[in-house]
Amino acid sequence: MATGTGQRETRRQADRSRETRRKLMEATVECLVERGWAGTTTTVVAERAGVSRGAQLHHFRTRGELVAAAVEHLGAESVLHLKDRARQVKGGSPKDQITAVVELIADFYASDLFTAALELWVAARTDPDLKTVVVPLEVRLGRETHRLAVELLNADETKPGVREAVQITLDLVRGLALANQLTDDGNRRKRIIRHWAQLLEDSL
């Protein structure tokens, strides 16, 4: 009986720990989007998440660790969401399919994930300690996004030029997402995406 009670308590503690981490990471991304890097302090994040400062420090020792974990967490959730949306647009001509997928990838980059990550990248440019955390994170997210684009576009990278075409697609939508940070660039983005999708069909 005592062992069973101890196991249940251990599970409850693990559940509370996961919930605390989730709250902290969600609050961090929200702060990055609303306040930027400078305004995303560990104190502000803990208050927004509704957890104690001690609990925050237990999970993340530094602001860099907290923010990197939050961006990676949101990235993983966003990838799952993108896959679900991609399954819903299957069907139609290859041209329509490619256009729909490129539009989905563009929307993915125009989300809060990109805004939060952008704040992190800019801060890391002049912060050596943060840079050591951000560079590996960027590599992981970049690889995962490329794999996802290959999967969604049904691209055969053994064909000459296909890998480059996929990477150009990602670079293009990232640039469009950057242009969208200060003003609503949605209409221009749609026109460019549709035009690129026509060119991409020939490459794939």
Side-chain angles (χ1 to χ4, degrees), residues 52-69:
S52 69
R53 186 85 168 88
Q56 178 259 305
L57 289 172
H58 173 73
H59 290 281
F60 303 101
R61 295 171 299 171
T62 67
R63 179 169 63 152
E65 289 181 1
L66 170 60
V67 173

Side-chain angles (χ1 to χ4, degrees), residues 88-101:
Q88 297 171 16
V89 301
K90 286 188 176 180
S93 68
K95 177 182 177 181
D96 291 341
Q97 182 67 24
I98 289 174
T99 300
V101 169

Side-chain angles (χ1 to χ4, degrees), residues 32-186:
L32 279 172
V33 173
E34 294 176 11
R35 297 168 173 258
W37 169 254
T40 303
T41 66
T42 53
T43 300
V44 168
V45 169
E47 290 176 355
R48 186 174 190 128
V51 304
S52 69
R53 186 85 168 88
Q56 178 259 305
L57 289 172
H58 173 73
H59 290 281
F60 303 101
R61 295 171 299 171
T62 67
R63 179 169 63 152
E65 289 181 1
L66 170 60
V67 173
V71 171
E72 188 160 22
H73 168 74
L74 180 58
E77 287 198 339
S78 297
V79 165
L80 293 176
H81 179 62
L82 180 56
K83 286 182 177 180
D84 286 340
R85 290 186 62 192
R87 281 193 285 267
Q88 297 171 16
V89 301
K90 286 188 176 180
S93 68
K95 177 182 177 181
D96 291 341
Q97 182 67 24
I98 289 174
T99 300
V101 169
V102 175
E103 287 177 343
L104 284 177
I105 295 173
D107 289 344
F108 172 74
Y109 271 96
S111 68
D112 285 349
L113 168 64
F114 181 80
T115 301
L118 182 61
E119 289 288 336
L120 198 56
W121 297 334
V122 171
R125 187 181 69 84
T126 55
D127 186 331
D129 291 335
L130 182 60
K131 190 173 184 178
T132 62
V133 176
V134 171
V135 170
L137 170 62
E138 165 62 9
V139 170
R140 290 195 300 274
L141 289 177
R143 287 175 178 169
E144 178 61 26
T145 306
H146 187 96
R147 282 195 296 268
L148 179 61
V150 169
E151 176 187 336
L152 298 182
L153 290 167
N154 195 27
D156 182 359
E157 290 194 305
T158 63
K159 295 181 179 179
V162 170
R163 180 174 180 80
E164 290 77 11
V166 172
Q167 192 57 54
I168 290 171
T169 301
L170 295 175
D171 290 342
L172 172 66
V173 296
R174 180 152 43 185
L176 291 171
L178 183 61
N180 198 58
Q181 290 299 303
L182 297 180
T183 59
D184 184 357
D185 201 41

